[in-house]
Amino acid sequence: MFVCGYHFPASEGNDVSFDKVIEKVQEGIDASGKTVTLTSETREGVKLETLEVTEGSFLHTALVDYYTNTECKEIDGFKMIYYTNKYQISEISKSVDGDKTKDVCKKLDDMNLYRVKVA
């Protein structure tokens, strides 16, 4: 099973605990002092909005991890974040970050395309 880009044993099935995923994401990533910017756009490439992600949240750390470790092509400093990844990150963030990231996570659950930039 892959969650947030990390492999977990098949014996855990689809019930990998959030704690295990959070531990993997935080392992080896120092997200402090980094700025995470998300942009949303339509399928046609029309930019809808730019979102800032609160530092210190799981969402922030997971997006820094994704940006750092994904092999997606970087265009103008941004990397595309794919639906499965954004959905998994959003679900965990809603659970552990609460109101801190609630509004951004609601947006991540839509069908628009998102790009992430870490500076």
Side-chain angles (χ1 to χ4, degrees):
M1 178 72 174
F2 282 89
V3 180
C4 295
Y6 291 97
H7 180 262
F8 292 90
S11 61
E12 293 185 34
N14 291 331
D15 294 324
V16 177
S17 78
F18 286 171
D19 291 339
K20 289 182 180 182
V21 177
I22 292 167
E23 183 179 319
K24 284 270 194 188
V25 167
Q26 291 175 339
E27 196 173 274
I29 284 291
D30 181 11
S32 60
K34 300 192 189 263
T35 302
V36 175
T37 305
L38 288 169
T39 60
S40 64
E41 59 188 68
T42 65
R43 290 189 328 221
E44 294 77 24
V46 176
K47 188 175 172 183
L48 300 172
E49 65 183 316
T50 300
L51 307 162
E52 297 296 323
V53 179
T54 305
E55 186 175 350
S57 63
F58 171 78
L59 180 61
H60 180 267
T61 304
L63 290 172
V64 170
D65 179 66
Y66 177 85
Y67 185 87
T68 303
N69 293 316
T70 189
E71 294 185 19
C72 293
K73 183 178 178 182
E74 186 178 318
I75 299 173
D76 297 328
F78 286 86
K79 290 185 178 183
M80 181 68 73
I81 183 165
Y82 296 99
Y83 183 74
T84 300
N85 297 97
K86 73 181 181 106
Y87 177 75
Q88 291 172 339
I89 290 170
S90 171
E91 284 302 301
I92 296 170
S93 180
K94 283 188 264 184
S95 174
V96 298
D97 291 332
D99 288 343
K100 194 183 322 184
T101 60
K102 179 178 69 173
D103 293 336
V104 175
C105 287
K106 282 182 183 178
K107 293 174 190 250
L108 289 175
D109 290 340
D110 66 23
M111 294 303 291
N112 289 321
L113 302 175
Y114 286 84
R115 297 181 191 272
V116 62
K117 181 178 186 176
V118 173

